[in-house]
Structures are given as structure tokens and as C-alpha cells.
Amino acid sequence: MKVIVTVVEKIISEAHIDIPDGLNQSAIKQHIVDRYNTGEMSTDMNIFQVDFESISARIVKEHSSILLGDKHD
């Protein structure tokens, strides 16, 4: 029997970064997005919380599948 299991987790990460003084709110947001998109922030990120959201399993047969699911709120 083949079973495909899907786990969904919500990961909360925290990064401490330096931002230049004198930027307005829009410029601060853009600075953070730019750092994230270039990969500069990902090495600074520390995962400090992982919340389990859901898990489901699908039993795969020849031409059909059965869905078994569990949701955690």
C-alpha cells in the first residue's frame, strides 16, 4: 500500500537586522523585502516556533485514492 502524507506547518521566524536611519515606513518595508529577496536575511533567520496546522494522508490504489485528514486549530 502506498500512502502520501502531507503535513502543513506554520513556521514563525525572527531576524534582527540593521536598517538605515531616516527611512519612512514604505522605505523600511522595501529595505526588508529587498534583503529577504536577495537572500541576505535568510541566514539571519532563527526559527523559534513551529505550529502544526494539519496533516492528511491519501491511500493510493490503482486508479483511485482515499483521503484521510486531521485538522489542528
Side-chain angles (χ1 to χ4, degrees):
M1 174 186 333
K2 181 177 180 180
V3 177
I4 299 171
V5 177
T6 304
V7 177
V8 177
E9 297 173 333
K10 178 174 62 174
I11 299 172
I12 299 172
S13 299
E14 184 176 278
H16 297 247
I17 62 172
D18 293 319
I19 294 182
D21 293 331
L23 299 179
N24 63 25
Q25 184 176 354
S26 178
I28 291 170
K29 287 179 182 179
Q30 188 61 51
H31 182 79
I32 293 168
V33 169
D34 290 345
R35 293 242 354 233
Y36 181 80
N37 285 340
T38 60
E40 293 177 54
M41 194 181 344
S42 62
T43 56
D44 297 340
M45 291 272 210
N46 293 313
I47 295 173
F48 68 92
Q49 182 177 343
V50 177
D51 292 331
F52 169 78
E53 290 200 354
S54 68
I55 187 168
S56 63
R58 191 171 74 227
I59 300 170
V60 181
K61 295 189 177 183
E62 289 180 31
H63 296 290
S64 64
S65 64
I66 301 168
L67 181 63
L68 308 170
D70 183 28
K71 176 89 169 121
H72 177 273
D73 294 321

Short mmCIF file of all heavy atoms in Angstrom, two decimals:
data_model
loop_
_atom_site.label_atom_id
_atom_site.label_comp_id
_atom_site.label_asym_id
_atom_site.label_seq_id
_atom_site.Cartn_x
_atom_site.Cartn_y
_atom_site.Cartn_z
N MET A 1 0.84 -1.17 0.00
CA MET A 1 0.00 0.00 0.00
C MET A 1 0.89 1.24 0.00
O MET A 1 1.88 1.30 0.72
CB MET A 1 -0.89 -0.01 1.25
CG MET A 1 -1.70 1.22 1.41
SD MET A 1 -2.66 1.39 2.95
CE MET A 1 -2.97 -0.24 3.49
N LYS A 2 0.52 2.20 -0.81
CA LYS A 2 1.27 3.45 -0.86
C LYS A 2 0.42 4.54 -0.22
O LYS A 2 -0.77 4.66 -0.49
CB LYS A 2 1.57 3.82 -2.32
CG LYS A 2 2.36 5.09 -2.47
CD LYS A 2 2.70 5.36 -3.92
CE LYS A 2 3.49 6.64 -4.05
NZ LYS A 2 3.84 6.92 -5.43
N VAL A 3 1.03 5.32 0.66
CA VAL A 3 0.34 6.41 1.34
C VAL A 3 1.14 7.69 1.13
O VAL A 3 2.35 7.71 1.32
CB VAL A 3 0.20 6.13 2.86
CG1 VAL A 3 -0.45 7.31 3.56
CG2 VAL A 3 -0.58 4.85 3.10
N ILE A 4 0.46 8.73 0.70
CA ILE A 4 1.09 10.04 0.55
C ILE A 4 0.63 10.89 1.73
O ILE A 4 -0.56 11.10 1.92
CB ILE A 4 0.69 10.70 -0.78
CG1 ILE A 4 1.14 9.83 -1.95
CG2 ILE A 4 1.28 12.11 -0.87
CD1 ILE A 4 0.61 10.28 -3.29
N VAL A 5 1.57 11.35 2.54
CA VAL A 5 1.25 12.13 3.73
C VAL A 5 1.67 13.58 3.49
O VAL A 5 2.79 13.85 3.06
CB VAL A 5 1.98 11.57 4.98
CG1 VAL A 5 1.71 12.44 6.19
CG2 VAL A 5 1.57 10.13 5.23
N THR A 6 0.77 14.50 3.76
CA THR A 6 1.04 15.92 3.63
C THR A 6 0.92 16.57 5.00
O THR A 6 -0.11 16.43 5.66
CB THR A 6 0.04 16.59 2.66
OG1 THR A 6 0.10 15.92 1.41
CG2 THR A 6 0.35 18.06 2.48
N VAL A 7 1.96 17.25 5.44
CA VAL A 7 1.95 17.95 6.71
C VAL A 7 2.09 19.44 6.43
O VAL A 7 2.97 19.85 5.67
CB VAL A 7 3.11 17.48 7.63
CG1 VAL A 7 3.14 18.28 8.91
CG2 VAL A 7 3.01 15.99 7.90
N VAL A 8 1.22 20.25 7.01
CA VAL A 8 1.29 21.70 6.86
C VAL A 8 1.65 22.29 8.22
O VAL A 8 1.00 22.02 9.22
CB VAL A 8 -0.06 22.28 6.37
CG1 VAL A 8 0.01 23.79 6.29
CG2 VAL A 8 -0.45 21.67 5.03
N GLU A 9 2.72 23.07 8.22
CA GLU A 9 3.17 23.72 9.45
C GLU A 9 3.28 25.22 9.20
O GLU A 9 3.61 25.65 8.10
CB GLU A 9 4.54 23.19 9.87
CG GLU A 9 4.56 21.73 10.21
CD GLU A 9 5.96 21.22 10.47
OE1 GLU A 9 6.92 21.78 9.92
OE2 GLU A 9 6.07 20.26 11.23
N LYS A 10 3.02 25.97 10.23
CA LYS A 10 3.23 27.42 10.17
C LYS A 10 4.51 27.70 10.95
O LYS A 10 4.61 27.40 12.12
CB LYS A 10 2.05 28.16 10.80
CG LYS A 10 2.22 29.67 10.81
CD LYS A 10 0.99 30.40 11.29
CE LYS A 10 0.68 30.03 12.71
NZ LYS A 10 -0.41 30.81 13.30
N ILE A 11 5.51 28.23 10.27
CA ILE A 11 6.80 28.49 10.89
C ILE A 11 6.94 29.99 11.13
O ILE A 11 6.76 30.80 10.21
CB ILE A 11 7.96 27.99 10.00
CG1 ILE A 11 7.84 26.49 9.80
CG2 ILE A 11 9.30 28.36 10.60
CD1 ILE A 11 8.80 25.90 8.80
N ILE A 12 7.24 30.35 12.35
CA ILE A 12 7.45 31.75 12.70
C ILE A 12 8.95 31.95 12.92
O ILE A 12 9.57 31.25 13.72
CB ILE A 12 6.66 32.12 13.97
CG1 ILE A 12 5.16 31.90 13.71
CG2 ILE A 12 6.96 33.55 14.39
CD1 ILE A 12 4.29 32.05 14.93
N SER A 13 9.52 32.87 12.15
CA SER A 13 10.95 33.14 12.23
C SER A 13 11.17 34.58 12.67
O SER A 13 10.33 35.45 12.46
CB SER A 13 11.62 32.94 10.87
OG SER A 13 11.47 31.61 10.45
N GLU A 14 12.31 34.82 13.25
CA GLU A 14 12.65 36.16 13.71
C GLU A 14 14.05 36.50 13.22
O GLU A 14 14.96 35.68 13.31
CB GLU A 14 12.60 36.18 15.23
CG GLU A 14 12.83 37.53 15.84
CD GLU A 14 12.65 37.47 17.34
OE1 GLU A 14 11.50 37.53 17.81
OE2 GLU A 14 13.67 37.34 18.04
N ALA A 15 14.20 37.69 12.69
CA ALA A 15 15.51 38.16 12.25
C ALA A 15 15.77 39.53 12.86
O ALA A 15 14.88 40.38 12.91
CB ALA A 15 15.58 38.25 10.73
N HIS A 16 16.97 39.74 13.33
CA HIS A 16 17.37 41.04 13.86
C HIS A 16 18.29 41.67 12.82
O HIS A 16 19.36 41.14 12.54
CB HIS A 16 18.10 40.87 15.19
CG HIS A 16 17.22 40.28 16.25
ND1 HIS A 16 16.82 40.98 17.35
CD2 HIS A 16 16.65 39.06 16.36
CE1 HIS A 16 16.05 40.22 18.10
NE2 HIS A 16 15.93 39.05 17.52
N ILE A 17 17.85 42.77 12.22
CA ILE A 17 18.62 43.40 11.15
C ILE A 17 18.79 44.89 11.46
O ILE A 17 18.01 45.48 12.20
CB ILE A 17 17.96 43.21 9.77
CG1 ILE A 17 16.57 43.86 9.73
CG2 ILE A 17 17.85 41.74 9.42
CD1 ILE A 17 15.94 43.87 8.35
N ASP A 18 19.80 45.49 10.87
CA ASP A 18 20.02 46.92 10.98
C ASP A 18 19.41 47.60 9.76
O ASP A 18 19.59 47.15 8.63
CB ASP A 18 21.51 47.23 11.04
CG ASP A 18 22.15 46.73 12.33
OD1 ASP A 18 21.51 46.87 13.39
OD2 ASP A 18 23.27 46.19 12.26
N ILE A 19 18.69 48.67 10.01
CA ILE A 19 18.06 49.45 8.95
C ILE A 19 18.59 50.88 9.05
O ILE A 19 18.68 51.42 10.16
CB ILE A 19 16.53 49.42 9.08
CG1 ILE A 19 16.03 48.00 8.86
CG2 ILE A 19 15.86 50.39 8.13
CD1 ILE A 19 14.55 47.82 8.93
N PRO A 20 18.93 51.49 7.93
CA PRO A 20 19.44 52.86 7.96
C PRO A 20 18.44 53.83 8.60
O PRO A 20 17.22 53.68 8.45
CB PRO A 20 19.64 53.20 6.49
CG PRO A 20 19.71 51.90 5.78
CD PRO A 20 18.88 50.94 6.58
N ASP A 21 18.95 54.78 9.34
CA ASP A 21 18.10 55.81 9.96
C ASP A 21 17.50 56.71 8.89
O ASP A 21 18.05 56.86 7.79
CB ASP A 21 18.93 56.67 10.92
CG ASP A 21 19.39 55.88 12.14
OD1 ASP A 21 18.68 54.92 12.53
OD2 ASP A 21 20.45 56.21 12.70
N GLY A 22 16.37 57.31 9.21
CA GLY A 22 15.78 58.32 8.34
C GLY A 22 14.86 57.77 7.27
O GLY A 22 14.38 58.54 6.43
N LEU A 23 14.60 56.48 7.24
CA LEU A 23 13.71 55.92 6.23
C LEU A 23 12.27 56.04 6.69
O LEU A 23 11.96 55.87 7.87
CB LEU A 23 14.03 54.45 5.98
CG LEU A 23 15.43 54.09 5.46
CD1 LEU A 23 15.56 52.59 5.29
CD2 LEU A 23 15.72 54.80 4.15
N ASN A 24 11.36 56.30 5.73
CA ASN A 24 9.94 56.31 6.07
C ASN A 24 9.43 54.86 6.07
O ASN A 24 10.15 53.92 5.73
CB ASN A 24 9.14 57.22 5.13
CG ASN A 24 9.18 56.73 3.69
OD1 ASN A 24 9.38 55.55 3.41
ND2 ASN A 24 8.97 57.65 2.76
N GLN A 25 8.16 54.66 6.44
CA GLN A 25 7.61 53.32 6.57
C GLN A 25 7.70 52.52 5.27
O GLN A 25 8.06 51.35 5.27
CB GLN A 25 6.16 53.40 7.04
CG GLN A 25 5.53 52.04 7.30
CD GLN A 25 4.12 52.14 7.86
OE1 GLN A 25 3.63 53.22 8.16
NE2 GLN A 25 3.48 51.01 7.99
N SER A 26 7.40 53.16 4.16
CA SER A 26 7.45 52.49 2.87
C SER A 26 8.87 52.05 2.52
O SER A 26 9.10 50.94 2.03
CB SER A 26 6.91 53.43 1.78
OG SER A 26 6.99 52.82 0.53
N ALA A 27 9.84 52.91 2.79
CA ALA A 27 11.24 52.59 2.50
C ALA A 27 11.75 51.47 3.41
O ALA A 27 12.55 50.63 2.99
CB ALA A 27 12.10 53.83 2.65
N ILE A 28 11.28 51.44 4.67
CA ILE A 28 11.67 50.37 5.59
C ILE A 28 11.14 49.03 5.08
O ILE A 28 11.87 48.03 5.02
CB ILE A 28 11.14 50.65 7.01
CG1 ILE A 28 11.89 51.84 7.62
CG2 ILE A 28 11.29 49.42 7.90
CD1 ILE A 28 11.28 52.35 8.91
N LYS A 29 9.87 49.02 4.66
CA LYS A 29 9.28 47.79 4.11
C LYS A 29 10.08 47.31 2.90
O LYS A 29 10.39 46.14 2.75
CB LYS A 29 7.82 48.01 3.72
CG LYS A 29 6.89 48.13 4.89
CD LYS A 29 5.46 48.36 4.38
CE LYS A 29 4.49 48.54 5.52
NZ LYS A 29 3.11 48.80 5.04
N GLN A 30 10.41 48.25 2.00
CA GLN A 30 11.14 47.89 0.79
C GLN A 30 12.53 47.37 1.12
O GLN A 30 13.02 46.42 0.52
CB GLN A 30 11.23 49.09 -0.16
CG GLN A 30 11.82 48.73 -1.52
CD GLN A 30 10.97 47.69 -2.25
OE1 GLN A 30 9.77 47.85 -2.38
NE2 GLN A 30 11.61 46.62 -2.71
N HIS A 31 13.18 47.98 2.09
CA HIS A 31 14.51 47.54 2.52
C HIS A 31 14.46 46.10 3.03
O HIS A 31 15.31 45.26 2.68
CB HIS A 31 15.04 48.47 3.62
CG HIS A 31 16.41 48.14 4.10
ND1 HIS A 31 17.55 48.48 3.40
CD2 HIS A 31 16.84 47.47 5.20
CE1 HIS A 31 18.61 48.05 4.05
NE2 HIS A 31 18.20 47.42 5.16
N ILE A 32 13.45 45.78 3.84
CA ILE A 32 13.30 44.43 4.39
C ILE A 32 13.02 43.43 3.26
O ILE A 32 13.63 42.36 3.19
CB ILE A 32 12.19 44.40 5.45
CG1 ILE A 32 12.63 45.20 6.67
CG2 ILE A 32 11.85 42.96 5.85
CD1 ILE A 32 11.52 45.48 7.67
N VAL A 33 12.10 43.78 2.36
CA VAL A 33 11.77 42.89 1.23
C VAL A 33 13.01 42.66 0.36
O VAL A 33 13.29 41.53 -0.06
CB VAL A 33 10.61 43.48 0.40
CG1 VAL A 33 10.44 42.73 -0.91
CG2 VAL A 33 9.31 43.43 1.20
N ASP A 34 13.76 43.72 0.09
CA ASP A 34 14.98 43.58 -0.72
C ASP A 34 15.99 42.65 -0.06
O ASP A 34 16.58 41.80 -0.72
CB ASP A 34 15.62 44.95 -0.97
CG ASP A 34 14.81 45.83 -1.91
OD1 ASP A 34 13.89 45.31 -2.59
OD2 ASP A 34 15.08 47.05 -1.94
N ARG A 35 16.19 42.80 1.24
CA ARG A 35 17.13 41.93 1.96
C ARG A 35 16.67 40.48 1.91
O ARG A 35 17.46 39.56 1.73
CB ARG A 35 17.27 42.36 3.43
CG ARG A 35 17.94 43.69 3.59
CD ARG A 35 19.23 43.78 4.33
NE ARG A 35 19.79 42.67 5.00
CZ ARG A 35 20.17 42.66 6.27
NH1 ARG A 35 19.99 43.71 7.03
NH2 ARG A 35 20.76 41.61 6.79
N TYR A 36 15.37 40.26 2.07
CA TYR A 36 14.82 38.90 2.03
C TYR A 36 14.97 38.30 0.63
O TYR A 36 15.42 37.17 0.48
CB TYR A 36 13.36 38.90 2.46
CG TYR A 36 12.75 37.52 2.46
CD1 TYR A 36 12.97 36.65 3.53
CD2 TYR A 36 11.99 37.07 1.38
CE1 TYR A 36 12.45 35.37 3.52
CE2 TYR A 36 11.46 35.80 1.38
CZ TYR A 36 11.69 34.95 2.45
OH TYR A 36 11.17 33.69 2.43
N ASN A 37 14.60 39.08 -0.40
CA ASN A 37 14.63 38.58 -1.78
C ASN A 37 16.04 38.27 -2.27
O ASN A 37 16.22 37.39 -3.11
CB ASN A 37 13.95 39.57 -2.73
CG ASN A 37 12.45 39.55 -2.59
OD1 ASN A 37 11.87 38.60 -2.09
ND2 ASN A 37 11.81 40.62 -3.02
N THR A 38 17.03 39.00 -1.78
CA THR A 38 18.41 38.74 -2.22
C THR A 38 19.06 37.62 -1.41
O THR A 38 20.18 37.23 -1.69
CB THR A 38 19.28 40.01 -2.09
OG1 THR A 38 19.29 40.43 -0.72
CG2 THR A 38 18.78 41.13 -2.99
N GLY A 39 18.35 37.12 -0.39
CA GLY A 39 18.89 36.03 0.42
C GLY A 39 19.77 36.50 1.56
O GLY A 39 20.31 35.70 2.31
N GLU A 40 19.92 37.80 1.71
CA GLU A 40 20.78 38.33 2.78
C GLU A 40 20.18 38.09 4.17
O GLU A 40 20.92 37.97 5.14
CB GLU A 40 20.98 39.84 2.60
CG GLU A 40 21.79 40.21 1.38
CD GLU A 40 21.88 41.71 1.23
OE1 GLU A 40 22.30 42.38 2.19
OE2 GLU A 40 21.52 42.22 0.15
N MET A 41 18.87 38.03 4.25
CA MET A 41 18.24 37.88 5.55
C MET A 41 18.05 36.42 5.94
O MET A 41 18.02 36.10 7.12
CB MET A 41 16.87 38.56 5.57
CG MET A 41 16.35 38.72 6.98
SD MET A 41 14.74 39.50 7.19
CE MET A 41 14.36 40.29 5.71
N SER A 42 17.96 35.51 5.00
CA SER A 42 17.65 34.12 5.32
C SER A 42 18.68 33.48 6.24
O SER A 42 18.32 32.66 7.08
CB SER A 42 17.49 33.30 4.04
OG SER A 42 18.68 33.29 3.31
N THR A 43 19.94 33.86 6.13
CA THR A 43 20.94 33.27 7.01
C THR A 43 20.82 33.81 8.43
O THR A 43 21.26 33.18 9.37
CB THR A 43 22.37 33.56 6.49
OG1 THR A 43 22.54 34.96 6.34
CG2 THR A 43 22.60 32.88 5.16
N ASP A 44 20.18 34.99 8.58
CA ASP A 44 19.99 35.57 9.89
C ASP A 44 18.75 35.02 10.60
O ASP A 44 18.60 35.18 11.80
CB ASP A 44 19.82 37.10 9.79
CG ASP A 44 21.05 37.78 9.23
OD1 ASP A 44 22.13 37.16 9.29
OD2 ASP A 44 20.93 38.90 8.73
N MET A 45 17.84 34.42 9.82
CA MET A 45 16.56 33.99 10.37
C MET A 45 16.76 32.85 11.37
O MET A 45 17.47 31.90 11.10
CB MET A 45 15.62 33.51 9.27
CG MET A 45 15.14 34.61 8.39
SD MET A 45 13.68 35.34 9.08
CE MET A 45 12.87 35.86 7.60
N ASN A 46 16.11 32.96 12.50
CA ASN A 46 16.11 31.90 13.51
C ASN A 46 14.68 31.43 13.70
O ASN A 46 13.80 32.21 14.03
CB ASN A 46 16.64 32.44 14.85
CG ASN A 46 18.09 32.80 14.76
OD1 ASN A 46 18.89 32.04 14.25
ND2 ASN A 46 18.44 33.97 15.26
N ILE A 47 14.45 30.13 13.48
CA ILE A 47 13.11 29.59 13.68
C ILE A 47 12.93 29.39 15.18
O ILE A 47 13.69 28.67 15.81
CB ILE A 47 12.94 28.25 12.93
CG1 ILE A 47 13.04 28.50 11.42
CG2 ILE A 47 11.61 27.59 13.30
CD1 ILE A 47 13.04 27.24 10.58
N PHE A 48 11.93 30.04 15.76
CA PHE A 48 11.71 29.90 17.18
C PHE A 48 10.36 29.32 17.52
O PHE A 48 10.08 29.03 18.67
CB PHE A 48 11.94 31.22 17.93
CG PHE A 48 10.94 32.29 17.66
CD1 PHE A 48 9.81 32.43 18.45
CD2 PHE A 48 11.12 33.18 16.61
CE1 PHE A 48 8.89 33.43 18.20
CE2 PHE A 48 10.21 34.19 16.37
CZ PHE A 48 9.09 34.31 17.16
N GLN A 49 9.50 29.11 16.51
CA GLN A 49 8.20 28.50 16.79
C GLN A 49 7.69 27.82 15.53
O GLN A 49 7.73 28.39 14.46
CB GLN A 49 7.20 29.56 17.25
CG GLN A 49 5.86 29.00 17.60
CD GLN A 49 4.91 30.08 18.12
OE1 GLN A 49 5.33 31.16 18.49
NE2 GLN A 49 3.64 29.77 18.12
N VAL A 50 7.22 26.59 15.67
CA VAL A 50 6.60 25.87 14.58
C VAL A 50 5.26 25.37 15.09
O VAL A 50 5.19 24.66 16.09
CB VAL A 50 7.46 24.68 14.10
CG1 VAL A 50 6.74 23.91 13.00
CG2 VAL A 50 8.82 25.16 13.61
N ASP A 51 4.18 25.78 14.43
CA ASP A 51 2.84 25.36 14.81
C ASP A 51 2.34 24.34 13.80
O ASP A 51 2.39 24.57 12.59
CB ASP A 51 1.87 26.54 14.85
CG ASP A 51 2.16 27.51 15.98
OD1 ASP A 51 2.69 27.06 17.01
OD2 ASP A 51 1.88 28.70 15.82
N PHE A 52 1.85 23.23 14.30
CA PHE A 52 1.24 22.21 13.47
C PHE A 52 -0.13 22.70 13.04
O PHE A 52 -0.94 23.10 13.86
CB PHE A 52 1.13 20.91 14.29
CG PHE A 52 0.30 19.85 13.64
CD1 PHE A 52 0.83 19.09 12.62
CD2 PHE A 52 -0.99 19.61 14.06
CE1 PHE A 52 0.08 18.11 12.02
CE2 PHE A 52 -1.75 18.63 13.47
CZ PHE A 52 -1.22 17.87 12.44
N GLU A 53 -0.40 22.73 11.74
CA GLU A 53 -1.69 23.18 11.25
C GLU A 53 -2.57 22.03 10.79
O GLU A 53 -3.73 21.97 11.14
CB GLU A 53 -1.52 24.19 10.12
CG GLU A 53 -0.97 25.52 10.61
CD GLU A 53 -1.25 26.65 9.66
OE1 GLU A 53 -1.77 26.42 8.56
OE2 GLU A 53 -0.93 27.79 10.02
N SER A 54 -2.04 21.10 10.02
CA SER A 54 -2.86 19.99 9.56
C SER A 54 -1.98 18.86 9.05
O SER A 54 -0.81 19.05 8.73
CB SER A 54 -3.83 20.43 8.46
OG SER A 54 -3.11 20.77 7.28
N ILE A 55 -2.58 17.69 9.01
CA ILE A 55 -1.92 16.53 8.42
C ILE A 55 -2.99 15.74 7.67
O ILE A 55 -4.13 15.65 8.12
CB ILE A 55 -1.22 15.65 9.48
CG1 ILE A 55 -0.40 14.53 8.81
CG2 ILE A 55 -2.21 15.08 10.49
CD1 ILE A 55 0.53 13.82 9.77
N SER A 56 -2.64 15.24 6.53
CA SER A 56 -3.58 14.41 5.78
C SER A 56 -2.81 13.29 5.13
O SER A 56 -1.62 13.40 4.86
CB SER A 56 -4.34 15.23 4.73
OG SER A 56 -3.44 15.74 3.76
N ALA A 57 -3.51 12.18 4.90
CA ALA A 57 -2.90 11.03 4.25
C ALA A 57 -3.83 10.56 3.16
O ALA A 57 -5.04 10.51 3.33
CB ALA A 57 -2.65 9.92 5.26
N ARG A 58 -3.25 10.23 2.03
CA ARG A 58 -4.03 9.72 0.91
C ARG A 58 -3.51 8.33 0.58
O ARG A 58 -2.34 8.16 0.25
CB ARG A 58 -3.89 10.66 -0.30
CG ARG A 58 -4.87 10.35 -1.40
CD ARG A 58 -4.86 11.42 -2.48
NE ARG A 58 -3.65 11.30 -3.28
CZ ARG A 58 -2.86 12.31 -3.62
NH1 ARG A 58 -3.12 13.51 -3.21
NH2 ARG A 58 -1.81 12.11 -4.36
N ILE A 59 -4.39 7.35 0.72
CA ILE A 59 -4.02 5.97 0.37
C ILE A 59 -4.25 5.82 -1.13
O ILE A 59 -5.35 6.01 -1.63
CB ILE A 59 -4.88 4.96 1.15
CG1 ILE A 59 -4.66 5.15 2.66
CG2 ILE A 59 -4.53 3.54 0.73
CD1 ILE A 59 -5.63 4.38 3.52
N VAL A 60 -3.20 5.49 -1.84
CA VAL A 60 -3.26 5.42 -3.30
C VAL A 60 -3.44 3.97 -3.73
O VAL A 60 -2.63 3.10 -3.39
CB VAL A 60 -1.98 6.02 -3.92
CG1 VAL A 60 -2.05 5.97 -5.44
CG2 VAL A 60 -1.77 7.44 -3.44
N LYS A 61 -4.50 3.72 -4.46
CA LYS A 61 -4.73 2.41 -5.04
C LYS A 61 -4.54 2.55 -6.54
O LYS A 61 -4.16 3.61 -7.03
CB LYS A 61 -6.12 1.91 -4.68
CG LYS A 61 -6.27 1.67 -3.18
CD LYS A 61 -7.54 0.98 -2.86
CE LYS A 61 -7.59 0.70 -1.36
NZ LYS A 61 -8.77 -0.02 -0.97
N GLU A 62 -4.85 1.53 -7.29
CA GLU A 62 -4.56 1.54 -8.73
C GLU A 62 -5.11 2.77 -9.45
O GLU A 62 -4.38 3.48 -10.11
CB GLU A 62 -5.11 0.27 -9.37
CG GLU A 62 -4.33 -0.97 -8.99
CD GLU A 62 -4.92 -2.20 -9.64
OE1 GLU A 62 -5.48 -2.09 -10.75
OE2 GLU A 62 -4.82 -3.27 -9.03
N HIS A 63 -6.40 3.03 -9.34
CA HIS A 63 -6.99 4.14 -10.09
C HIS A 63 -7.79 5.10 -9.21
O HIS A 63 -8.52 5.93 -9.71
CB HIS A 63 -7.90 3.61 -11.20
CG HIS A 63 -7.14 2.82 -12.23
ND1 HIS A 63 -6.27 3.40 -13.11
CD2 HIS A 63 -7.10 1.50 -12.47
CE1 HIS A 63 -5.73 2.45 -13.87
NE2 HIS A 63 -6.23 1.30 -13.50
N SER A 64 -7.64 4.98 -7.89
CA SER A 64 -8.39 5.86 -7.01
C SER A 64 -7.58 6.13 -5.75
O SER A 64 -6.57 5.49 -5.50
CB SER A 64 -9.74 5.24 -6.64
OG SER A 64 -9.54 4.06 -5.90
N SER A 65 -8.03 7.06 -4.97
CA SER A 65 -7.36 7.34 -3.70
C SER A 65 -8.40 7.64 -2.64
O SER A 65 -9.50 8.10 -2.94
CB SER A 65 -6.38 8.49 -3.86
OG SER A 65 -7.06 9.67 -4.17
N ILE A 66 -8.05 7.38 -1.39
CA ILE A 66 -8.91 7.66 -0.25
C ILE A 66 -8.21 8.72 0.58
O ILE A 66 -7.03 8.60 0.89
CB ILE A 66 -9.11 6.38 0.60
CG1 ILE A 66 -9.74 5.28 -0.24
CG2 ILE A 66 -9.96 6.68 1.83
CD1 ILE A 66 -9.72 3.92 0.41
N LEU A 67 -8.93 9.77 0.95
CA LEU A 67 -8.34 10.87 1.69
C LEU A 67 -8.67 10.73 3.17
O LEU A 67 -9.83 10.62 3.55
CB LEU A 67 -8.86 12.22 1.15
CG LEU A 67 -8.31 13.48 1.81
CD1 LEU A 67 -6.80 13.56 1.58
CD2 LEU A 67 -8.98 14.70 1.24
N LEU A 68 -7.63 10.71 4.02
CA LEU A 68 -7.79 10.70 5.45
C LEU A 68 -7.19 12.00 5.97
O LEU A 68 -6.07 12.32 5.64
CB LEU A 68 -7.02 9.52 6.08
CG LEU A 68 -7.30 8.13 5.50
CD1 LEU A 68 -6.30 7.14 6.06
CD2 LEU A 68 -8.71 7.70 5.82
N GLY A 69 -7.93 12.75 6.75
CA GLY A 69 -7.39 14.04 7.17
C GLY A 69 -7.64 14.33 8.63
O GLY A 69 -8.54 13.81 9.25
N ASP A 70 -6.79 15.18 9.18
CA ASP A 70 -6.90 15.65 10.54
C ASP A 70 -6.50 17.10 10.54
O ASP A 70 -5.45 17.44 10.04
CB ASP A 70 -6.00 14.83 11.47
CG ASP A 70 -6.16 15.25 12.92
OD1 ASP A 70 -7.21 15.74 13.31
OD2 ASP A 70 -5.17 15.09 13.66
N LYS A 71 -7.32 17.96 11.11
CA LYS A 71 -7.03 19.39 11.14
C LYS A 71 -6.81 19.81 12.58
O LYS A 71 -7.55 19.44 13.45
CB LYS A 71 -8.22 20.17 10.53
CG LYS A 71 -8.09 21.66 10.59
CD LYS A 71 -7.39 22.18 9.38
CE LYS A 71 -7.52 23.69 9.32
NZ LYS A 71 -6.31 24.37 9.31
N HIS A 72 -5.78 20.58 12.82
CA HIS A 72 -5.48 21.10 14.14
C HIS A 72 -5.64 22.60 14.09
O HIS A 72 -5.10 23.26 13.23
CB HIS A 72 -4.04 20.74 14.53
CG HIS A 72 -3.64 21.30 15.85
ND1 HIS A 72 -3.12 22.55 15.97
CD2 HIS A 72 -3.69 20.78 17.10
CE1 HIS A 72 -2.84 22.78 17.23
NE2 HIS A 72 -3.18 21.72 17.93
N ASP A 73 -6.43 23.17 15.00
CA ASP A 73 -6.64 24.62 15.01
C ASP A 73 -5.90 25.27 16.12
O ASP A 73 -5.74 24.81 17.17
CB ASP A 73 -8.13 24.94 15.13
CG ASP A 73 -8.88 24.50 13.89
OD1 ASP A 73 -8.38 24.65 12.78
OD2 ASP A 73 -10.00 24.01 14.06
#
